[in-house]
């Protein structure tokens, strides 16, 4: 199974309005509520691809209880192993402008996490890595929750809530490696800087996050720098231009065949799911990147994060353009 870690999950609330205007009242035409946070989005896509996955992180208060109830109501092979905390889980609000398709996002910071709560999470995380043959949570699908395969990979995703140490992801990377489990890291800022130094097997920043980490705005040079800082492989999101991968096995760029209009929220999370599922299935890097790009494009076409349009995915996957070599990657970056 896969394990995704979302230390700062959220209740994702999406409002749709005919036209978004500043300083005006709006009539909302549609509202959706979903369990949110990058790792939860990754988990739902992995489950849709047929892979069992457990989600862990920190959740608390009435909003946290609502997130867990929504997660339990979803079908599919996602197991809830979120660790309870006293503070109230954050909300994120997305407002979609129906006239343009553009999205305005409002993100709360998250609850204050105490030292005791962080220590309890570390214990739970270690147990998931050590005893992955036995389910530790409640299955959200039709499964019995009796047993699961060993953890094949861990995805560490998203921001840190207040109170969690800035080097939290570095500690989680080291714990996973001590258990013999490969790690993908998808975060930003100081948590990314500390996490990269711990040697994750793969980091997946976007171009801005990669530039902030390295101080270099040219993606290929920045990816090389990130590898020198400790990352074993780097897959950088380049927005509508696709992905750049710099690994010990080679350098590739993967680009979608066309621009897909829609809501980009969660597209990067779907790319993470594509990379992880490709790892589990033994796909080579070009095939993993093609899947990641196709899932990302298909998520832009879907109404909410954590879902993907199967028709767009089927159309995009065989047409995704893969170029190899450092010159090709630089030209496309």
């Amino acid at each position: 199974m896969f394990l995704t870690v979302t230390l700062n999950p959220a209740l994702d609330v999406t409002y749709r309005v005919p036209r978004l205007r500043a300083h005006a009242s709006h009539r909302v035409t549609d509202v959706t509520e979903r369990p949110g946070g990058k790792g939860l989005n990754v988990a739902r896509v992995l489950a849709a691809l047929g892979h069992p996955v457990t989600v862990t992180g920190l959740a608390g208060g009435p909003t946290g209880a609502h997130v867990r109830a929504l997660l339990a109501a979803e079908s599919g092979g996602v197991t809830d192993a979120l660790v309870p905390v006293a503070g109230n889980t954050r909300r994120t609000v997305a407002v979609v402008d129906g006239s343009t398709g553009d999205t305005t996002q409002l993100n709360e910071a998250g609850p204050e996490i105490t030292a005791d709560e962080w220590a309890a999470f570390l214990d739970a995380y270690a147990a998931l890595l050590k005893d992955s043959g036995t389910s530790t949570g409640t299955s959200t699908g039709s499964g019995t929750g009796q047993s699961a395969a060993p953890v094949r990979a861990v995805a560490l995703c998203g921001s840190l809530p207040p109170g969690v140490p800035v080097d939290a992801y570095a500690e989680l990377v080291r714990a996973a490696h001590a258990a013999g489990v490969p790690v993908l890291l998808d975060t930003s800022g100081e948590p990314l800087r500390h996490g990269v130094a711990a040697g994750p097997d793969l980091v997946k920043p976007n171009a801005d996050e990669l530039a902030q980490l390295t101080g270099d705005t040219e993606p290929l040079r920045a990816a090389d720098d990130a590898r020198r800082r400790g990352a074993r492989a780097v897959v950088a999101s380049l927005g509508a231009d696709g992905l750049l991968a710099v690994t010990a096995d080679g350098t590739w760029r993967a680009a979608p065949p066309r621009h897909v209009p829609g809501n980009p929220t969660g597209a990067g999370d779907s790319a993470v799911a594509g990379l992880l599922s490709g790892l589990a299935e033994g796909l080579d890097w070009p095939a993993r990147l093609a899947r990641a790009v196709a899932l990302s494009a298909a998520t832009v076409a879907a109404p909410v994060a954590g879902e993907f349009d199967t028709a767009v995915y089927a159309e995009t996957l065989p047409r995704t353009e893969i170029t190899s070599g450092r010159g090709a990657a630089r030209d496309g970056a």
Side-chain angles (χ1 to χ4, degrees):
M1 74 167 184
F2 291 104
L3 177 64
T4 72
V5 176
T6 311
L7 295 177
N8 204 13
L11 176 65
D12 284 349
V13 183
T14 302
Y15 294 107
R16 297 182 181 276
V17 299
R19 185 179 185 86
L20 183 62
R21 294 172 295 157
H23 315 298
S25 296
H26 297 80
R27 185 173 298 277
V28 176
T29 57
D30 182 65
V31 181
T32 59
E33 291 185 338
R34 295 288 300 275
K38 295 177 73 63
L40 271 68
N41 293 335
V42 171
R44 280 199 295 268
V45 176
L46 282 170
L49 293 171
H51 295 283
V53 56
T54 294
V55 296
T56 190
L58 302 163
T63 306
H66 189 39
V67 166
R68 299 186 78 168
L70 290 173
L71 191 61
E74 293 182 353
S75 61
V78 178
T79 297
D80 174 2
L82 293 166
V83 176
V85 296
N88 196 34
T89 292
R90 67 186 180 130
R91 295 162 297 175
T92 67
V93 177
V95 183
V96 180
D97 185 328
S99 65
T100 64
D102 292 338
T103 301
T104 299
Q105 191 87 13
L106 305 173
N107 297 329
E108 296 178 2
E112 184 78 28
I113 305 301
T114 68
D116 287 344
E117 288 169 339
W118 177 239
F121 172 79
L122 291 176
D123 288 343
Y125 177 71
L128 286 165
L129 293 172
K130 180 180 178 182
D131 300 322
S132 59
T134 302
S135 176
T136 57
T138 301
S139 174
T140 64
S142 57
T144 62
Q146 292 177 352
S147 64
V151 175
R152 303 196 65 170
V154 174
L156 306 175
C157 304
S159 63
L160 302 180
V164 171
V166 71
D167 63 349
Y169 283 134
E171 186 170 8
L172 299 185
V173 168
R174 289 191 292 267
H177 282 170
V181 179
V183 183
L184 182 152
L185 177 62
D186 184 9
T187 187
S188 61
E190 285 302 304
L192 176 61
R193 189 178 306 277
H194 286 275
V196 163
D201 299 271
L202 174 62
V203 294
K204 200 217 67 63
N206 61 35
D208 289 341
E209 293 162 349
L210 188 58
Q212 290 169 13
L213 172 68
T214 65
D216 196 327
T217 59
E218 200 286 311
L220 182 59
R221 290 196 305 265
D224 284 335
D225 190 347
R227 291 196 68 219
R228 286 192 293 270
R229 292 167 185 257
R232 299 177 186 177
V234 178
V235 175
S237 297
L238 305 178
D241 291 329
L243 299 173
L244 168 69
V246 179
T247 80
D249 299 320
T251 299
W252 293 271
R253 182 177 181 273
R258 65 179 180 88
H259 172 69
V260 177
N263 180 3
T265 304
D269 306 331
S270 292
V272 168
L275 294 168
L276 287 175
S277 63
L279 169 68
E281 296 170 27
L283 302 182
D284 60 16
W285 274 107
R288 291 186 217 176
L289 294 168
R291 177 177 291 181
V293 165
L295 283 171
S296 182
T299 296
V300 172
V304 292
E307 294 182 357
F308 61 92
D309 186 302
T310 56
V312 172
Y313 175 64
E315 173 197 350
T316 304
L317 181 60
R319 299 174 57 206
T320 296
E321 180 183 0
I322 307 292
T323 55
S324 64
R326 303 183 68 79
R330 183 179 293 108
D331 292 342

